[in-house]
């Protein structure tokens, strides 16, 4: 069974990426409709199911599973084999439809990374916002603006999912002692609080 195209946005790798030769880190902000991916190599992607006439949570269960697997496989292809993957922690308290399906996707991606031996960092939503802005809360627009200012080489097209992934990636590089930008202590507090794979450092 086919379905709508899953690539919602993609940017080409920038030529002037700071620390390109350092550890390869991918930030991963999972979502059924728009999973954000960002690589320390300088590119961003947004992958997800978007068919307003036939939303994924309204499909018959068998068809829904097919489309969720398509999303998972496309994201896995995008992740590749980084030295570290940084995921936003599962938003278990998030309201709205599709919580069951979102949980499936998050765990399947975590499973893939674990099985592939790729170290995983987990950054909460508040920690992600703190690393970008210095504060533990803020609007999507504030984060997008912070990314454009601090990490302009990563072209997000103003997409908040891509911007979130850039922040996760940057936090991972910071934790590996190979930051792509100098960050104030108020921002770096988020790195200290996040969950990291100790054996990979």
């Amino acid at each position: 069974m086919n379905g709508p195209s899953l690539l919602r946005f993609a940017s080409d790798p920038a030529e002037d990426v700071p620390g390109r030769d350092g550890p390869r880190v991918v930030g991963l902000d999972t979502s059924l409709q728009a999973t954000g991916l960002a690589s320390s190599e300088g590119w961003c992607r947004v992958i997800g199911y978007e068919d307003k006439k036939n939303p994924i949570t309204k499909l018959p269960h068998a068809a829904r599973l097919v489309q969720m697997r398509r999303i998972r496989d496309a994201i896995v292809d995008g992740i590749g084999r980084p030295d570290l993957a940084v995921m936003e922690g599962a938003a278990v308290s998030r309201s709205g439809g599709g919580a069951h399906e979102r949980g499936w996707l998050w765990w399947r991606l975590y499973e893939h990374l674990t099985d592939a031996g790729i170290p995983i960092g987990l950054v909460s939503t508040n920690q992600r916002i703190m690393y970008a802005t210095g504060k533990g809360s803020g609007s999507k627009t504030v984060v997008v603006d912070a990314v454009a200012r601090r990490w302009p080489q990563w072209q997000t097209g103003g997409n908040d999912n891509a911007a979130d992934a850039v922040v996760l990636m940057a936090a991972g590089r910071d934790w590996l002692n190979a930051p792509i930008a100098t960050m104030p202590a108020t921002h770096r507090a988020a790195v200290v609080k996040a969950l990291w794979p100790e054996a990979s450092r």
Side-chain angles (χ1 to χ4, degrees):
M1 178 179 178
N2 295 322
S5 172
L6 298 179
L7 186 62
R8 311 250 67 83
F9 171 82
S11 64
D12 294 329
E15 295 182 359
D16 57 345
V17 175
R20 183 192 292 275
D21 296 331
R24 181 167 175 257
V25 179
V26 171
L28 178 61
D29 179 29
T30 62
S31 164
L32 289 166
Q33 292 184 320
T35 288
L37 292 174
S39 169
S40 56
E41 295 178 322
W43 54 259
C44 298
R45 293 177 191 161
V46 178
I47 295 168
Y49 181 97
E50 188 176 67
D51 183 347
K52 294 179 180 179
K53 292 183 178 180
N54 301 289
I56 197 167
T57 55
K58 301 296 184 183
L59 295 175
H61 282 73
R64 194 179 312 180
L65 181 59
V66 168
Q67 297 305 328
M68 291 194 299
R69 285 173 171 164
R70 285 185 69 228
I71 296 168
R72 176 201 59 195
D73 293 347
I75 295 168
V76 164
D77 287 346
I79 293 170
R81 296 283 310 183
D83 300 305
L84 175 70
V86 185
M87 298 179 70
E88 181 163 333
V92 294
S93 63
R94 184 177 168 188
S95 61
H100 192 54
E101 292 82 0
R102 287 196 308 271
W104 180 93
L105 179 62
W106 193 94
W107 278 110
R108 287 297 176 262
L109 292 171
Y110 186 92
E111 178 183 48
H112 162 76
L113 294 168
T114 300
D115 290 349
I118 298 170
I120 306 167
L122 297 177
V123 175
S124 73
T125 300
N126 290 345
Q127 290 161 357
R128 172 181 54 73
I129 297 171
M130 178 180 290
Y131 191 73
T133 70
K135 299 178 181 180
S137 61
S139 68
K140 293 180 180 296
T141 301
V142 169
V143 173
V144 170
D145 290 345
V147 169
R149 184 175 65 256
R150 290 192 179 276
W151 306 291
Q153 296 87 348
W154 280 263
Q155 298 298 308
T156 67
N159 185 290
D160 58 273
N161 305 288
D164 289 348
V166 171
V167 178
L168 296 168
M169 175 275 299
R173 280 289 299 259
D174 200 330
W175 179 76
L176 288 170
N177 298 315
I180 56 175
T182 302
M183 301 295 286
T186 51
H187 297 241
R188 293 202 72 252
V191 176
V192 176
K193 295 177 181 179
L195 298 176
W196 301 103
E198 293 300 327
S200 69
R201 199 166 185 181

